[in-house]
Amino acid sequence: MSTAAFFLFTAVHIYIFHVHRPKRRFRTMLVISFFALLSYTLGFFICANSGFSIWINAITPFMAVDFINGLFVYGFFLYFYAHLVIVFDRCVTVRMMVDIEESRDKRLSLDQIKSGYDLEDKFRYEVEDMVFLKRLVKEKNYIKNAPMGRTHAKVIEAVRKYMNIGGHQ
Amino acid sequence: MKGIIAALFCSSVCVAAHFIFAYLGLVKTEHGHPIRKLIYHWKLLFAVSIALLPVFLGLFYFMEKKGGFFNILESSLMCQYLYGLFFFAMLFFLYLSVYYVFDRSVSSRIMIEIENSPGKKLTFEQLKAAYDADTKYLNELKGMMEGGFVSKYGSYYRNTIKGAMVGKLASFYKRIFRLGKGG
């Protein structure tokens, strides 16, 4: 049921972002997920009180499902933790919050943020990383997309255009 | 439910082991490319998680044989409902992490700029010019204000309580994981 609710969320999210271009994207996603969860709750209790859940339980190999669920949760927690390490290391907003928190008066102006955190360094790291990951190649003074980088760029750009996202650059 | 309990136990041990290894300085931090320190962390985490798989299997079969309390827990309607909520949250998080790459990733933007340039190649200076740094700073700050992480007082930005907590937590982990200033 929760998988069905998630697919409902994804479909509504893609539709709304493609057609209506919401201004507050994250908030919109939260609102959609709230309604998807409501539909999950409704679906769950309707199934539990009808013959449907008895039928599902009769054909489900419980031990195998439980084991696979466990492996999925294990994998998810490790992914979540690894993702957290990336966020702490790479996220622009986290870096700004750290800089503000570590400043003397715990406040910074835009110019102070810019002087403490130079985006040129950020670019340089990103380019170096992508050369290492074979997404980009350096050719004399120029930087070019490698075949993998070209595919990556085309896919991302197509999704960005379709869903009207990517405007935070 | 037994698989989930085993997973919760093993992932907690795995995270704790990684944290201790990082704290003890067993993670290399000096590398040529900035991404290598992250790859080293991932490799360590992967190795610990594989090493813990027999523990996961052992726990799972122990609970399966033991039955009793675990079977009662498994048949509880409320437990099943809560697991459904948790499963939705997991899928939502996985989706958000992919969405973030599509919406915000700096590296993706760099590849798109190169792909859309006339000769399909750019110098570092051309790349910088194509990517307006001021807009990036202001948009990030705007997003943080909308999310309630910072607030603006005159020309200054301050962390809200939520922002200060994230800042302190990130600062703590950056130190433990020896990630450097990052960003």
Short mmCIF file of all heavy atoms in Angstrom, two decimals, chain B residues 4 41 56 58 60 64 66 76 114 117 156 158 172:
data_model
loop_
_atom_site.label_atom_id
_atom_site.label_comp_id
_atom_site.label_asym_id
_atom_site.label_seq_id
_atom_site.Cartn_x
_atom_site.Cartn_y
_atom_site.Cartn_z
N ILE B 4 13.43 -6.28 9.76
CA ILE B 4 13.63 -4.85 10.02
C ILE B 4 14.37 -4.64 11.35
O ILE B 4 15.26 -3.79 11.45
CB ILE B 4 12.28 -4.11 10.01
CG1 ILE B 4 11.69 -4.21 8.61
CG2 ILE B 4 12.42 -2.67 10.41
CD1 ILE B 4 10.20 -4.09 8.56
N HIS B 41 35.54 6.99 2.65
CA HIS B 41 34.49 6.80 3.67
C HIS B 41 33.48 5.75 3.20
O HIS B 41 33.07 4.89 3.98
CB HIS B 41 33.76 8.12 3.93
CG HIS B 41 34.47 9.02 4.90
ND1 HIS B 41 34.54 8.76 6.24
CD2 HIS B 41 35.16 10.16 4.71
CE1 HIS B 41 35.23 9.70 6.84
NE2 HIS B 41 35.62 10.57 5.93
N PHE B 56 23.51 -10.08 10.63
CA PHE B 56 22.13 -9.84 10.18
C PHE B 56 21.40 -11.17 9.98
O PHE B 56 20.29 -11.36 10.49
CB PHE B 56 22.16 -9.02 8.87
CG PHE B 56 20.82 -8.85 8.23
CD1 PHE B 56 19.95 -7.87 8.69
CD2 PHE B 56 20.41 -9.66 7.19
CE1 PHE B 56 18.70 -7.72 8.11
CE2 PHE B 56 19.17 -9.51 6.60
CZ PHE B 56 18.31 -8.53 7.06
N GLY B 58 22.20 -14.16 11.18
CA GLY B 58 22.09 -14.85 12.46
C GLY B 58 20.92 -14.33 13.28
O GLY B 58 20.12 -15.09 13.81
N PHE B 60 18.31 -12.67 12.23
CA PHE B 60 17.05 -12.96 11.55
C PHE B 60 16.58 -14.38 11.86
O PHE B 60 15.43 -14.59 12.25
CB PHE B 60 17.21 -12.76 10.03
CG PHE B 60 15.95 -13.00 9.26
CD1 PHE B 60 14.97 -12.02 9.22
CD2 PHE B 60 15.73 -14.18 8.59
CE1 PHE B 60 13.79 -12.23 8.52
CE2 PHE B 60 14.56 -14.41 7.88
CZ PHE B 60 13.59 -13.42 7.85
N GLU B 64 13.40 -15.77 13.97
CA GLU B 64 12.48 -16.66 13.26
C GLU B 64 12.23 -17.93 14.08
O GLU B 64 11.10 -18.41 14.17
CB GLU B 64 13.10 -17.01 11.89
CG GLU B 64 12.16 -17.58 10.88
CD GLU B 64 11.05 -16.63 10.45
OE1 GLU B 64 11.30 -15.43 10.29
OE2 GLU B 64 9.91 -17.13 10.31
N LYS B 66 12.84 -18.27 17.38
CA LYS B 66 12.34 -17.91 18.71
C LYS B 66 10.82 -17.65 18.67
O LYS B 66 10.10 -18.02 19.58
CB LYS B 66 13.08 -16.67 19.20
CG LYS B 66 12.90 -16.37 20.65
CD LYS B 66 13.97 -17.01 21.50
CE LYS B 66 13.81 -16.58 22.94
NZ LYS B 66 14.46 -17.55 23.84
N SER B 76 0.62 -7.60 14.56
CA SER B 76 -0.09 -6.40 15.02
C SER B 76 -0.40 -5.47 13.85
O SER B 76 0.49 -5.11 13.07
CB SER B 76 0.75 -5.67 16.07
OG SER B 76 0.45 -4.32 16.07
N ILE B 114 28.66 22.97 -20.58
CA ILE B 114 29.64 22.52 -21.58
C ILE B 114 28.91 21.95 -22.80
O ILE B 114 29.24 22.26 -23.94
CB ILE B 114 30.61 21.48 -20.97
CG1 ILE B 114 31.48 22.14 -19.90
CG2 ILE B 114 31.48 20.85 -22.06
CD1 ILE B 114 32.34 21.19 -19.10
N SER B 117 27.46 24.66 -25.01
CA SER B 117 28.36 25.66 -25.59
C SER B 117 28.60 25.34 -27.07
O SER B 117 28.49 24.17 -27.47
CB SER B 117 29.69 25.66 -24.82
OG SER B 117 30.32 24.41 -24.99
N TYR B 156 22.43 41.61 7.31
CA TYR B 156 23.11 40.42 7.86
C TYR B 156 22.19 39.20 7.86
O TYR B 156 20.98 39.32 8.02
CB TYR B 156 23.57 40.68 9.30
CG TYR B 156 24.76 41.59 9.37
CD1 TYR B 156 24.60 42.96 9.61
CD2 TYR B 156 26.05 41.10 9.19
CE1 TYR B 156 25.68 43.81 9.66
CE2 TYR B 156 27.14 41.94 9.25
CZ TYR B 156 26.96 43.29 9.48
OH TYR B 156 28.04 44.12 9.53
N ARG B 158 21.50 35.61 9.86
CA ARG B 158 21.75 34.87 11.10
C ARG B 158 21.12 33.49 10.99
O ARG B 158 20.09 33.34 10.35
CB ARG B 158 21.06 35.57 12.28
CG ARG B 158 21.83 36.68 12.92
CD ARG B 158 20.98 37.24 14.07
NE ARG B 158 21.54 38.45 14.61
CZ ARG B 158 22.46 38.47 15.56
NH1 ARG B 158 22.92 37.35 16.06
NH2 ARG B 158 22.92 39.61 16.02
N PHE B 172 30.55 19.49 13.69
CA PHE B 172 31.02 18.37 14.51
C PHE B 172 31.42 17.19 13.62
O PHE B 172 32.52 16.64 13.75
CB PHE B 172 29.90 17.98 15.48
CG PHE B 172 30.14 16.70 16.24
CD1 PHE B 172 31.09 16.66 17.26
CD2 PHE B 172 29.45 15.54 15.92
CE1 PHE B 172 31.31 15.48 17.96
CE2 PHE B 172 29.68 14.36 16.62
CZ PHE B 172 30.61 14.33 17.63
#
